[in-house]
Amino acid sequence: MTAHTDPPNDPSPQDDDEQLPCGRLLSRVWDDREQQADDPHLRCCPHCRQAVRGLDRLGSAVLGLREEEADAPATDAAALTRRVMEVVRLELRPGRPLSATWPPGSPNGPPPGGR
């Protein structure tokens, strides 16, 4: 059994385009819809009509997301930038940061008795 992992040598530009059961390409149906073409097939074919309904639902979803995004309060990028830069400056300081507590059993911990 052979495993083919290489792409085909001569890919057709229509390879990514779905062909509907009626024979029309999905891209053509969507283009005709956007151009408001007077095509009897587009009006009568159940496959093309379903594709157009799908495009309409997709368009509605995108518009809804745009409106939702426009209504959302703007995020304060300055506050986030300030916090990130504080961490960067801390990391760039000479020496390593010292911990306020010694880890249990650390050979570099304080001597017995807390001194």
Side-chain angles (χ1 to χ4, degrees):
M1 181 151 76
T2 357
H4 296 283
T5 57
D6 295 331
N9 293 333
D10 186 22
S12 167
Q14 295 178 354
D15 283 347
D16 291 336
D17 201 353
E18 180 181 345
Q19 186 171 14
L20 300 176
C22 65
R24 294 245 175 136
L25 294 176
L26 181 60
S27 63
R28 177 179 171 200
V29 172
W30 284 6
D31 286 341
D32 288 348
R33 167 74 166 124
E34 289 176 351
Q35 301 298 323
Q36 298 178 348
D38 185 25
D39 183 358
H41 176 87
L42 194 60
R43 288 191 310 267
C44 297
C45 175
H47 307 290
C48 291
R49 288 185 4 212
Q50 182 180 4
V52 166
R53 282 193 304 272
L55 177 62
D56 290 342
R57 283 194 309 269
L58 179 61
S60 295
V62 169
L63 287 176
L65 288 174
R66 284 184 181 166
E67 290 169 1
E68 189 177 297
E69 185 177 287
D71 292 342
T75 55
D76 183 14
L80 175 61
T81 303
R82 191 171 35 256
R83 290 194 314 246
V84 168
M85 290 310 297
E86 287 172 0
V87 171
V88 168
R89 286 185 194 103
L90 177 66
E91 293 295 321
L92 291 176
R93 289 185 183 157
R96 63 180 188 151
L98 297 176
S99 173
T101 60
W102 295 97
S106 171
N108 297 325
R115 293 183 160 194

